[in-house]
Amino acid sequence: MEWMIETLRVLREIRDWSDRRDTNGDRSAATREALHRATAAAEAEVKPIVVERMGPARAKAPERKRERREEDRGGGGGKPQIPLRKIDRNALTVVRRLQRADFKAYLVGGCVRDLLLGLEPKDFDIATDARPEDVKRIFKRNSRIIGRRFRLVHVHFGRNQILEVSTFRANITDDDASEDQDLLIRRDNVFGSEEEDAQRRDFTINGLFYDPTSGRILDHVDGLADIERRYLRMIGDPEIRLREDPVRILRAIRFKAKTHVEIDDALFAAMIAHREELLRCAPARILEESLRLLRIGYAQETVRLLAETGVLELLFPIVQEFIEQPEPITVIGPKGEKTYDRLPYILRHLEVLDDIIARDEDVDDAVALAALFVAPVLERLEDPELSPGDRTRITSDLLREAGAPITLTKRLHESMRQLFLAHRRFLKTSNRRKRGRGSATDSQLQFLEIHLRANELPLDALDRARR
Ligand code: ATP
Ligand code: MG
């Protein structure tokens, strides 16, 4: 099977290459025709097998899908499906220049999803059939080829904007779904067709292309219907796709929290069944996606979902242990005692983090993580017998332990440690009133605000720390 897909891809490549060439003579026309015939024949061989592998729901509706796709392509005229004014000008420039050079080029992924859902996209990614070298030739010194695992092009606009242009690629690992087979993707992906590029993406709502020139969405994955009903569904079989790349579990949680979509039942079951495979992924990716979960401005919801899916206990066991203790948390403030249940108590801290992010302040990774760890760490430092030296040592050990499953970088561990040490100083000054001045950094202030507001403590310590 693998070799047939491989042969088909090579054929498509040669066919596309030959189509792009400036061909006048009869001989090249005949070669092109032969290539088209051979590719079509190979497609006819491979397609039924691929469709079958995608499961019965997909196999049943290829006809309907094809018709819808034709409609979606639509071409010129009519109202654009996304108004041009909502699209970043530079992203439009990149798409148009690629198209003018006779390549396919579309907006893709999160930006199309967010625009259709009425949200503001974070960035605009572009997918194309141009190879990285072709893209580089078009954008010359304003572009840079990056990436080792898969090469992409960064197109620079001024100092601050980078647009990512990636060549269509294919994912051909979903060959066999047997229980014990290791499906984790370790090798590089390979270039592929437009359709293959849509199919290799994670969720249907992330698999749409938008062509701003024709004003049409190209939907190879039945994503539009899912956008309409706000539904998060894996492209292909979630069992297989999550085993290929378990980081998609964290991505599902992120998209659910951010766009309020409903998670498909089969996807949710697979997320729970395969959560432990998360720890097999490259630590740097787990760390990156975990930080994204905390920093998108919906940390309260993502952490609630991490707890619900049992991922919390894998990635942040210190937090899980904290919430599993039976007795509630008691906080003594100026207005007396308050008690909180444990998970809600953790979530209160994240709610303040979300507020700070909503104010558009820059939030350091260390602050985001510290907001999650602060309750369990401070609880273990409660013993009044501990000397300052003990506390410093225990804080450092606890943070190392807390960060171990997601493999914190040294820099991140150190920044968090500094935050906790400074935090104690600021809290002390708030207890003893006058002593000590501020000159706190922005991160220290944010961390202090998280602690004070989550515990419903007076905020004057913040003003003092600011001074
Ligand atoms: P955000 O708006 O938060 O950036 P996004 O959907 O753009 O969300 P990115 O991580 O920027 O997320 O990825 C861009 C696109 O690349 C996704 O929309 C998806 O189509 C594809 N993608 C990213 N990561 C994966 C993955 N692990 N597996 C499959 N497809 C992925
Ligand atoms: Mg993105």
Side-chain angles (χ1 to χ4, degrees):
M1 186 57 213
E2 191 99 335
W3 69 267
M4 286 174 75
I5 295 182
E6 191 65 36
T7 311
L8 174 58
R9 196 176 43 257
V10 172
L11 269 169
R12 278 175 174 157
E13 254 173 42
I14 306 174
R15 176 198 61 190
D16 292 346
W17 171 79
S18 127
D19 281 352
R20 278 206 298 275
R21 288 193 45 184
D22 190 14
T23 47
N24 297 320
D26 285 349
R27 257 183 63 193
S28 34
T31 314
R32 257 187 307 154
E33 206 190 307
L35 273 167
H36 275 263
R37 266 203 315 272
T39 315
E43 267 167 354
E45 287 295 319
V46 171
K47 203 150 193 175
I49 307 173
V50 174
V51 169
E52 195 182 327
R53 257 200 282 132
M54 285 183 168
R58 297 197 148 261
K60 262 191 246 148
E63 249 352 281
R64 190 178 51 79
K65 228 166 93 182
R66 197 168 314 126
E67 278 164 27
R68 173 131 27 106
R69 233 179 278 148
E70 293 304 330
E71 276 167 36
D72 288 340
R73 289 217 176 88
K79 198 162 147 256
Q81 286 174 276
I82 296 173
L84 277 186
R85 70 191 147 74
K86 300 220 162 167
I87 301 172
D88 182 83
R89 262 194 21 229
N90 295 332
L92 284 177
T93 304
V94 172
V95 168
R96 285 176 181 153
R97 280 179 67 184
L98 284 163
Q99 290 179 343
R100 242 182 281 139
D102 269 346
F103 293 109
K104 290 182 179 177
Y106 310 121
L107 297 172
V108 67
C111 65
V112 181
R113 175 198 68 219
D114 288 351
L115 286 168
L116 291 171
L117 289 173
L119 304 168
E120 198 177 325
K122 215 174 53 162
D123 40 36
F124 287 80
D125 295 331
I126 291 135
T128 178
D129 62 351
R131 296 296 160 89
E133 303 73 41
D134 300 325
V135 180
K136 176 95 182 103
R137 211 170 310 119
I138 294 170
F139 297 97
K140 303 201 171 63
R141 289 220 330 260
N142 295 326
S143 61
R144 197 162 300 154
I145 298 183
I146 58 138
R148 267 192 302 165
R149 206 163 161 242
F150 194 86
R151 288 177 314 139
L152 319 157
V153 184
H154 275 175
V155 180
H156 293 251
F157 285 86
R159 280 179 170 219
N160 295 327
Q161 194 182 12
I162 296 178
L163 292 169
E164 203 167 278
V165 180
S166 58
T167 304
F168 296 146
R169 54 179 135 146
N171 167 22
I172 45 169
T173 52
D174 49 338
D175 243 328
D176 205 327
S178 72
E179 255 312 296
D180 47 359
Q181 204 181 347
D182 185 359
L183 296 174
L184 195 70
I185 298 178
R186 292 198 179 84
R187 62 201 167 105
D188 291 354
N189 290 333
V190 282
F191 291 127
S193 66
E194 170 187 318
E195 178 154 9
E196 284 168 324
D197 190 70
Q199 299 288 352
R200 62 107 188 155
R201 291 172 184 275
D202 46 9
F203 306 103
T204 59
I205 61 172
N206 285 348
L208 298 166
F209 296 123
Y210 186 63
D211 177 0
T213 308
S214 69
R216 288 285 159 259
I217 285 158
L218 284 80
D219 183 1
H220 298 287
V221 293
D222 282 346
L224 267 177
D226 289 336
I227 291 263
E228 270 158 34
R229 57 186 183 135
R230 295 187 164 248
Y231 198 69
L232 192 70
R233 192 161 54 85
M234 197 102 223
I235 296 174
D237 181 347
E239 286 278 327
I240 297 175
R241 303 297 315 279
L242 291 185
R243 283 159 66 199
E244 279 174 8
D245 181 6
V247 165
R248 290 169 185 152
I249 297 172
L250 302 184
R251 295 177 58 81
I253 289 176
R254 178 152 65 88
F255 298 129
K256 156 95 183 147
K258 177 173 159 174
T259 63
H260 312 295
V261 282
E262 182 191 339
I263 301 186
D264 171 58
D265 286 346
L267 170 58
F268 194 74
M271 285 164 65
I272 291 175
H274 297 292
R275 61 180 189 247
E276 284 182 10
E277 291 171 48
L278 258 172
L279 296 177
R280 301 176 61 208
C281 297
R285 287 191 67 218
I286 306 276
L287 176 62
E288 185 192 318
E289 283 291 344
S290 304
L291 291 171
R292 276 173 108 175
L293 285 178
L294 295 173
R295 297 187 42 169
I296 48 163
Y298 302 94
Q300 195 187 1
E301 176 65 2
T302 55
V303 172
R304 197 190 61 69
L305 286 163
L306 288 174
E308 187 183 331
T309 49
V311 177
L312 189 72
E313 100 190 75
L314 291 167
L315 299 188
F316 305 106
I318 195 176
V319 183
Q320 179 74 22
E321 272 168 43
F322 177 85
I323 62 178
E324 274 174 7
Q325 304 300 314
E327 69 283 5
I329 294 295
T330 306
V331 177
I332 304 165
K335 290 188 206 134
E337 258 184 32
K338 285 218 154 129
T339 57
Y340 304 94
D341 286 337
R342 287 178 170 247
L343 179 59
Y345 184 66
I346 293 275
L347 298 182
R348 291 178 63 83
H349 293 79
L350 298 163
E351 189 182 354
V352 186
L353 173 69
D354 290 340
D355 275 357
I356 294 174
I357 293 171
R359 294 201 301 250
D360 246 356
E361 289 183 26
D362 282 334
V363 173
D364 202 71
D365 289 339
V367 175
L369 260 187
L372 180 61
F373 292 157
V374 61
V377 170
L378 293 189
E379 182 174 54
R380 298 217 208 159
L381 292 171
E382 252 169 20
D383 183 352
E385 301 285 291
L386 292 176
S387 71
D390 288 340
R391 286 170 187 278
T392 307
R393 189 177 38 75
I394 294 173
T395 305
S396 186
D397 289 350
L398 281 176
L399 289 175
R400 190 163 297 116
E401 179 195 326
I406 51 169
T407 322
L408 290 192
T409 57
K410 275 213 183 78
R411 196 193 61 77
L412 194 48
H413 176 265
E414 183 52 25
S415 314
M416 266 205 294
R417 203 177 68 89
Q418 293 297 343
L419 270 181
F420 273 89
L421 295 183
H423 186 62
R424 192 142 23 93
R425 209 176 68 231
F426 293 126
L427 279 183
K428 250 205 239 149
T429 55
S430 82
N431 292 340
R432 296 204 195 139
R433 303 259 140 182
K434 287 196 208 61
R435 224 195 65 191
R437 287 148 314 263
S439 64
T441 64
D442 288 345
S443 292
Q444 288 165 350
L445 287 171
Q446 289 167 344
F447 189 43
L448 191 59
E449 179 181 344
I450 290 169
H451 175 88
L452 296 173
R453 282 181 51 198
N455 288 283
E456 298 180 85
L457 293 170
L459 299 182
D460 37 350
L462 262 181
D463 296 330
R464 275 197 304 279
R466 229 176 245 130
R467 260 179 249 135

